[in-house]
Amino acid sequence: MADHTNLISSKLVMQLNCLTSLADILEDELTAIASRRGEGLKDIAKQKLAFLSQIQTLDKELKALFAGNDVESDEVTSLTSDVHKLLESCKKKNDVNAHAAHHAQLTVKQLKDILIGVPTSTTYDQDGSVVHGNSKIVHNLKA
């Protein structure tokens, strides 16, 4: 029984390490989104998927180890709690990153629409008032 508990503990430690690395990657992802470094996002996405796959595999292994066995260990309980807390933190960070990426995408789209003079684009006049559909920017460009 002690070997079984030790195996569960080691798998939980591995999962904690993966989640810690994932949390670090999520911070890097937010930095890349904020600085609009698209080339770094591809590498970050690959790393993120690799850790998610590893976490999922460990989760399946742990589910099998817990199935049918009543494991009562302070270490296992503590590690399980730490895994849940870190997982929740990663979920929140991922949600923040998704929101930041969406906002960055909208900003770029609005800028593009202004520059190409899309009729529904929003611009500002000399007084700072909002002007919709003003495509004078594009028509007055000489290249």
Side-chain angles (χ1 to χ4, degrees), residues 1 4-6 8-9 65-66 68-73 76-77:
M1 188 66 164
H4 187 72
T5 303
N6 289 337
I8 290 174
S9 294
L65 289 170
F66 276 109
N69 295 314
D70 191 27
V71 180
E72 292 184 24
S73 163
V76 169
T77 303

Side-chain angles (χ1 to χ4, degrees), residues 32-65:
I33 291 168
S35 65
R36 298 198 172 125
R37 290 180 318 168
E39 69 279 351
L41 286 172
K42 287 183 181 181
D43 293 334
I44 289 170
K46 287 178 187 175
Q47 292 174 9
K48 196 167 135 178
L49 287 174
F51 278 112
L52 288 172
S53 176
Q54 202 172 3
I55 291 166
Q56 191 175 34
T57 300
L58 285 167
D59 204 37
K60 287 178 184 176
E61 292 172 4
L62 282 164
K63 186 177 180 180
L65 289 170

Side-chain angles (χ1 to χ4, degrees), residues 1-115:
M1 188 66 164
D3 288 340
H4 187 72
T5 303
N6 289 337
L7 181 60
I8 290 174
S9 294
S10 69
K11 295 284 184 185
L12 286 169
V13 168
M14 291 169 69
Q15 198 165 41
L16 268 174
N17 291 336
C18 287
L19 285 167
T20 301
S21 296
L22 181 62
D24 293 341
I25 288 171
L26 289 169
E27 288 178 23
D28 293 344
E29 183 180 50
L30 183 59
T31 302
I33 291 168
S35 65
R36 298 198 172 125
R37 290 180 318 168
E39 69 279 351
L41 286 172
K42 287 183 181 181
D43 293 334
I44 289 170
K46 287 178 187 175
Q47 292 174 9
K48 196 167 135 178
L49 287 174
F51 278 112
L52 288 172
S53 176
Q54 202 172 3
I55 291 166
Q56 191 175 34
T57 300
L58 285 167
D59 204 37
K60 287 178 184 176
E61 292 172 4
L62 282 164
K63 186 177 180 180
L65 289 170
F66 276 109
N69 295 314
D70 191 27
V71 180
E72 292 184 24
S73 163
D74 291 339
E75 181 183 11
V76 169
T77 303
S78 174
L79 287 170
T80 303
S81 175
D82 292 345
V83 165
H84 286 290
K85 288 176 187 172
L86 196 48
L87 181 61
E88 278 303 311
S89 173
C90 286
K91 285 179 181 180
K92 286 179 185 175
K93 286 180 181 185
N94 195 57
D95 288 343
V96 167
N97 290 0
H99 182 72
H102 180 70
H103 184 69
Q105 181 183 15
L106 286 176
T107 302
V108 169
K109 183 186 179 318
Q110 287 174 342
L111 179 61
K112 181 185 120 194
D113 288 349
I114 289 169
L115 291 175

